[in-house]
Amino acid sequence: MSSESQADRRRLQMADIARLAGVSVSTVSRALNGSSLVNDETKQRIGELARSLNYTINQSAKNLRLQRNQTIAVVVPYDAQSRQHISDPFFLSMVGSLADALTDRGYDMLLSRVDAEALDSVSSLYDSGRAIGIVLIGQWRHHDQLNALAARGVPVVVWGGQLPQQLYCTVGGDNLLGGRLATAHLLQEGRRRILFLGDAQLPEVALRLAGYRQALADAGVPYDEARVRKVPFEEHDAELAIARQVASAHEGRADFDAVFASSDLIAILVMRALRRRGLRVPEDVAVVGYDNVALAAYADPPLTTVHQPVSQAGVELVDALIHLMAGTPQVPRVMPVELVVRLSSVVAPVNA
Amino acid sequence: MSSESQADRRRLQMADIARLAGVSVSTVSRALNGSSLVNDETKQRIGELARSLNYTINQSAKNLRLQRNQTIAVVVPYDAQSRQHISDPFFLSMVGSLADALTDRGYDMLLSRVDAEALDSVSSLYDSGRAIGIVLIGQWRHHDQLNALAARGVPVVVWGGQLPQQLYCTVGGDNLLGGRLATAHLLQEGRRRILFLGDAQLPEVALRLAGYRQALADAGVPYDEARVRKVPFEEHDAELAIARQVASAHEGRADFDAVFASSDLIAILVMRALRRRGLRVPEDVAVVGYDNVALAAYADPPLTTVHQPVSQAGVELVDALIHLMAGTPQVPRVMPVELVVRLSSVVAPVNA
DNA sequence: CTGAAAGCGCTAACAG
DNA sequence: CTGTTAGCGCTTTCAG
C-alpha cells in the first residue's frame, strides 16, 4: 500500500493534467474530447498522460456545464404493503434486456425500485435532473398517475398494455393476440372448460382475458365468468390461492380441463397444485402459461406458453424513449408474440 | 396538452423559486435543506411552493458543489466473446437484492454490464466520479485485475470467493462448506461415484470443489480426477457439453451414481440430459445443485441444492462497501449456506 | 434570520 | 492551433 490512503487522495482533475502537460485546461478539454482544433501530437501526449494517471473527465461537471446527461432511470415497482419484491423472473430479465439496450446506446442506467402505490414519485427522478428519461416496467393499476406524468411532460415509456385515453407511451407484447393464441390452442386440443387465472385489473392481463373471450367466441364456446379467477401477484399468496381454487374446482367434479395462466410463474404453481391433488398434466388438465421465461422450458412437464420478445422489448423501450426525449410524440408499440407449444398442453408428444 | 411542449420547457431552478417566493436563492437553498437558520414560516412557504411546482433540487449541481455523490455502481460482467449475457437467474436476483439494499440506504444504483475480459475498465466508473463505489458481481478469472483496482484505492467490493493474496474485499457464501454439505449428503445417501460439474477456474467453484474433496476424504472415499468436469457457463454451450458428458459416462457403464453441479442451472440441464438418456433421478443418479434459485423448487424433480443467502448478500455487500468508502479496511465476509434437501437426491420421499 | 459573492470541474465562445 | 473568460445550478462562507 502507498503512504497516501485512498480516503485523502484528492481526485485528479483537468487542471492537474494541464499543469503536467504544460498547456491550458481548455486544451486538455479539447484534446480529451477529440476536438480537431488541437494539434495531433499534443492530443496524443495529453491522452497518454491522462490514461497513465487513470484520469477520466468528471461526468457530473461535464453534464452540468453541457446541460445534458446520459442517464435513463429504469423503475421496477414493488409492493410496499407486503414489503415483497417482485420475484417474477420476467421482470428481472427485462431489467437485463434494458441494461443491454441502454449500454449499447451509450446511456447510463439508474435502477430504482419504487412503491407500486406511489408511481408518480418517479417523476422526481426526472425533476431532479438525475435522469433525462424514465422506463417503467409495468403499469400496474395506475393508469391515471402515468397519464398525469406524461401530461406534465416527463419523458416516460411504460412496458405494459395499451389502454384507451392513454397519454403516455407504452411498449408491450400483443396481449390480445397472446390470449387468443393460447386459448385457441387449448380449444383445438379439445378442451372446452378453460380456467383463466390472473388479475384482470392489470391492463396486460385484461387484454389477455379479452383475447381468451374472443377465442372462445370464435369457437362458439360460451364464456363462463366463474372460470375467470384473480390470482395475487406475489408468489406465496398466489400459491395458496391457486391451491384453494384447484381444490374447489376439483371437488366440484373437476369442472375444468385446462388452465390458461397469465404468467409462467402462476402456471408452474398451478401444475404443482394439480399434481398434488392427483391430477395429471396434460392428460386431465392442459396448462398454458405466459412470458416464456427460462424456467418454462425446464418445468415438469415443459410448459406451453406465450413467448414475449424480451430482448427486443428492451430495444423498443429505449428507442421509443429516445424519440420521445427528442420531442417526437410516440404511439404505443405492440410487439408480436408467439405460442410455444410444449408438453403441458398436448397429450400426443411433440418435440420438446 | 398545454401550449408549451415538453421539449422547450426550461427546467425549473432555484432562482425561479426564489423569485416567486420573493427571497434570495440562498434562502431557498437553506429552506429546502431544512436549515435551522431560516424562519419556520418562510421554510413552510418555500416548501409548498416547490412542491406545487414539482421542483426538486438538481442533484448534479448539488453533488458538484458538495463534492459528494450518492451513486454506487453495480457491475454485472458479461461474456463479450459469445456476445451472450449472463442468463443465470442467480445473478439477476443478486441485482434485485442490491437494488433493495442500496435503495434502503439512500444510494442511487447505477447498473452496468462490462466485458468480463476487461474488468479493470470498471474503474472508470469511479475515476469519472459517476460512482463513489463499485459492487462487482462475480470475480471470474480476474483476480489480478481486481487486486490492481483495490491497490489503486478504488472502493470495490466483489461477490465471490476468498482467495489467497487478496487485496480487495469479497463477500460470498461459504463455498467450502457448501461443497462439503452437498457432497456429504450424497455420500450419506449411499452414493460413492459423484461427478462434480463446474468450471474450477472460477474461485467460487474451486472452493466448492475443495469442499467436495474434503467430504470425500472425510468419508474415506478416494478422489478421482476423472469425475471432475468443466462446464461452460453459457447456457447453450453448457447444454451440449453436459449431454456429451452424460453420454460418455453412460456408455462407460454409468460410472457415476450422483452429480454435484456448481449451479442450479447446470443441475437442471443435467437432469434433463439424464432423463433423455433414460436414467432416472434420483434412483439411478442423484443430483444436487447450487444457489437455490426460485427455479430449483419447481424443477422435475424438485432439486436438492445449497441455498445462498441472496437478500442478505445485498445488505452485506453494501455494508462492506460503505465501510470501505469510509476508509475502514474490510476483511472478506463469508456468509453461511444451507443444504436444502428435495427429491432430486433422496430415494425415500421427504417433504418437498 | 437573510443576501451577496465565490467557486465545485468542466466547456465554449471569443480573442489572440 | 491555443489561452482567457464566463458561466452550468447549487451551497456556503461572510457580511449585514
Side-chain angles (χ1 to χ4, degrees), chain B residues 136-151:
Chain B
L136 201 55
I137 306 184
Q139 67 210 123
W140 303 81
R141 299 180 191 82
H142 303 288
H143 186 57
D144 298 338
Q145 292 184 20
L146 297 176
N147 265 342
L149 221 58

Side-chain angles (χ1 to χ4, degrees), chain B residues 72 97-98 101-102 105 107 135 157 313-323 325:
Chain B
I72 301 292
S97 159
L98 283 162
L102 289 169
R105 289 161 172 277
Y107 288 95
V135 176
V157 173
V315 174
E316 294 289 332
L317 283 162
V318 172
D319 190 63
L321 184 57
I322 287 172
H323 284 293
M325 293 187 304

Side-chain angles (χ1 to χ4, degrees), chain A:
Chain A
M1 280 257 184
S2 76
S3 65
E4 56 184 358
S5 103
Q6 65 182 74
D8 59 319
R9 177 161 56 190
R10 196 177 58 87
R11 248 200 194 69
L12 227 46
Q13 55 192 67
M14 226 174 236
D16 301 312
I17 307 292
R19 196 163 15 79
L20 260 38
V23 294
S24 76
V25 229
S26 349
T27 303
V28 177
S29 170
R30 283 191 273 252
L32 260 26
N33 284 300
S35 158
S36 57
L37 287 173
V38 54
N39 194 316
D40 273 349
E41 190 210 350
T42 322
K43 219 188 290 192
Q44 189 81 22
R45 193 161 48 88
I46 294 178
E48 273 162 20
L49 188 59
R51 214 172 359 266
S52 74
L53 294 171
N54 287 307
Y55 170 75
T56 312
I57 291 178
N58 181 317
Q59 277 299 326
S60 317
K62 180 172 184 161
N63 288 340
L64 180 59
R65 173 64 232 226
L66 258 35
Q67 292 287 77
R68 72 171 174 64
N69 155 335
Q70 291 287 96
T71 304
I72 301 292
V74 171
V75 178
V76 182
Y78 71 87
D79 182 4
Q81 291 191 306
S82 59
R83 195 71 185 91
Q84 291 289 354
H85 301 127
I86 283 95
S87 47
D88 196 317
F90 177 74
F91 286 86
L92 287 173
S93 57
M94 202 63 144
V95 168
S97 160
L98 283 162
D100 289 341
L102 289 169
T103 303
D104 286 350
R105 290 162 171 277
Y107 289 95
D108 286 338
M109 169 170 165
L110 188 66
L111 182 66
S112 10
R113 311 194 104 173
V114 310
D115 183 346
E117 296 308 307
L119 277 195
D120 52 357
S121 74
V122 305
S123 71
S124 76
L125 288 165
Y126 174 75
D127 294 328
S128 71
R130 274 187 306 200
I132 55 172
I134 297 174
V135 176
L136 201 55
I137 305 185
Q139 68 212 123
W140 302 82
R141 299 179 191 83
H142 302 288
H143 186 56
D144 298 338
Q145 292 183 20
L146 297 177
N147 265 343
L149 221 57
R152 273 191 44 217
V154 178
V156 58
V157 172
V158 180
W159 172 264
Q162 194 176 353
L163 245 46
Q165 310 293 330
Q166 174 179 305
L167 298 176
Y168 55 95
C169 171
T170 48
V171 174
D174 190 337
N175 291 295
L176 191 72
L177 177 62
R180 270 206 296 138
L181 289 175
T183 312
H185 166 69
L186 288 169
L187 289 166
Q188 200 184 332
E189 292 294 318
R191 313 292 170 153
R192 287 295 175 271
R193 292 161 297 139
I194 307 170
L195 213 55
F196 180 96
L197 293 183
D199 180 353
Q201 289 199 286
L202 303 176
E204 290 184 272
V205 177
L207 287 163
R208 291 170 200 173
L209 177 57
Y212 162 88
R213 296 188 63 163
Q214 209 171 294
L216 288 182
D218 288 352
V221 174
Y223 168 70
D224 179 357
E225 202 168 48
R227 292 223 169 84
V228 175
R229 312 277 181 87
K230 176 174 169 173
V231 172
F233 221 77
E234 217 307 11
E235 190 166 329
H236 285 288
D237 300 345
E239 192 152 4
L240 290 175
I242 288 164
R244 211 178 314 124
Q245 289 174 7
V246 169
S248 70
H250 191 199
E251 281 151 15
R253 293 177 304 113
D255 74 343
F256 62 100
D257 55 14
V259 173
F260 173 28
S262 62
S263 82
D264 287 344
L265 205 59
I266 293 176
I268 286 168
L269 291 168
V270 164
M271 292 203 294
R272 200 160 73 151
L274 289 169
R275 193 179 333 155
R276 288 196 178 159
R277 311 223 146 241
L279 291 167
R280 291 166 305 161
V281 176
E283 292 82 355
D284 299 321
V285 179
V287 176
V288 175
Y290 210 101
D291 291 338
N292 195 23
V293 298
L295 196 144
Y298 306 117
D300 168 34
L303 181 65
T304 294
T305 186
V306 178
H307 176 79
Q308 300 230 64
V310 175
S311 33
Q312 187 57 23
V315 174
E316 294 288 332
L317 282 162
V318 171
D319 190 63
L321 184 58
I322 288 172
H323 284 294
L324 204 60
M325 294 186 302
T328 317
Q330 295 295 296
V331 295
R333 303 188 185 193
V334 177
M335 308 177 62
V337 296
E338 280 168 23
L339 185 73
V340 178
V341 178
R342 298 201 183 94
L343 292 175
S344 68
S345 63
V346 289
V347 175
V350 296
N351 297 331

Side-chain angles (χ1 to χ4, degrees), chain B residues 275-297:
Chain B
R275 195 180 330 158
R276 287 195 179 159
R277 313 223 146 242
L279 292 167
R280 292 166 305 161
V281 176
E283 292 81 354
D284 299 320
V285 179
V287 176
V288 175
Y290 210 102
D291 292 340
N292 194 23
V293 299
L295 198 144

